[in-house]
Amino acid sequence: MTDAQSGAPLPDLPDDFSSVLVIVAHPDDPEYGIGSAAATWTRAGKRVGYLLASRGEAGIEGMDPAESAVVRTREQEAACKEVGVESLVFLDEPDGRILETPELRTSIAREIRRFQPDIVVLLNFQQTWGGRFFNSADHRNLGQAAVDAVADAANEWIVPGARYDKVSRILEFGAHPTHRIDVTDGVEAAVASLACHREYLAALSDDPVEDQARAQIDSTLTWEGDRAHLGFRVYG
Ligand SMILES: [Zn+2]
């Protein structure tokens, strides 16, 4: 796995942390790539939590949002079990209308204080995916809100309560990577975890759900011999 500009090998992320909070907009956002890292970390005894802004109720074509919210919550709970994630929290923001408000930042900051992560992991919140496809407003707004909430959590006046300032790094998946993580131990769990989004994936394509899940996870990995690596942009 190499740097896009220099061609130099990407450095490994230092393994000096024990807790990780993944903060994303929708059910399935952690499963499209981050899951192999999450499974690797939980297997290594690290504490990993998922914080989801919405229940993805507007995400299944032809399915009423009220029903979709129930289905997608259930699928997300199953997906978490596959990768050993025991803490799953929803903030019940409106799917498709997530804004970076002070209230959302406060909600995220409170969860950061409650979970006390060493590292926060986000999905790409840039304008585009590699310059070719536009990113969604929910991903942009939620990612920016999470970055700002890390700072809010460390300020007792902006969010009343005990400060938490121990987030040492923020990782972004899906943006140009600066570091790599060996996720070999988590690959199969990541495929199983994404395949838990059964009704969601079935609505997207006629291909078998397991095939879709494996193809997606494969597309995120770089193999070196029998070791699989996942890239992250690392801040901090
Ligand atoms: Zn999403």
Side-chain angles (χ1 to χ4, degrees), residues 40-209:
T40 301
W41 290 329
T42 59
R43 280 174 182 225
K46 299 184 196 299
R47 201 162 52 87
V48 182
Y50 285 0
L51 173 59
L52 274 63
S54 82
R55 292 180 191 265
E57 67 273 12
I60 300 181
E61 200 178 331
M63 187 184 288
D64 185 83
E67 184 186 353
S68 194
V70 174
V71 167
R72 303 206 70 197
T73 299
R74 195 174 60 225
E75 292 185 342
Q76 187 61 52
E77 288 167 351
C80 284
K81 284 205 179 76
E82 293 289 347
V83 293
V85 168
E86 290 174 1
S87 174
L88 170 63
V89 173
F90 293 95
L91 295 178
D92 288 317
E93 291 288 314
D95 185 13
R97 285 290 179 271
I98 297 173
L99 298 175
E100 201 218 344
T101 61
E103 292 76 20
L104 175 58
R105 284 168 52 181
T106 297
S107 299
I108 297 171
R110 292 214 164 101
E111 284 302 316
I112 290 170
R113 285 181 181 170
R114 188 186 68 80
F115 193 82
Q116 306 214 328
D118 298 322
I119 282 184
V120 163
V121 176
L122 308 174
L123 186 63
N124 176 19
F125 57 97
Q126 309 300 321
Q127 200 74 26
T128 66
W129 292 94
R132 187 151 176 231
F133 301 104
F134 284 111
N135 202 351
S136 77
D138 279 3
H139 294 163
R140 295 197 314 267
N141 293 337
L142 187 278
Q144 191 59 57
V147 167
D148 296 332
V150 169
D152 292 350
N155 186 312
E156 78 262 43
W157 305 118
I158 291 174
V159 177
R163 300 166 63 236
Y164 180 75
D165 60 1
K166 305 284 193 309
V167 176
S168 58
R169 294 188 199 94
I170 296 175
L171 274 53
E172 183 182 17
F173 173 73
H176 290 299
T178 59
H179 290 70
R180 65 176 200 174
I181 298 172
D182 187 324
V183 295
T184 313
D185 295 344
V187 171
E188 290 308 312
V191 173
S193 183
L194 178 53
C196 289
H197 293 280
R198 196 155 287 279
E199 293 201 45
Y200 175 76
L201 291 170
L204 289 183
S205 164
D206 291 333
D207 293 341
V209 165

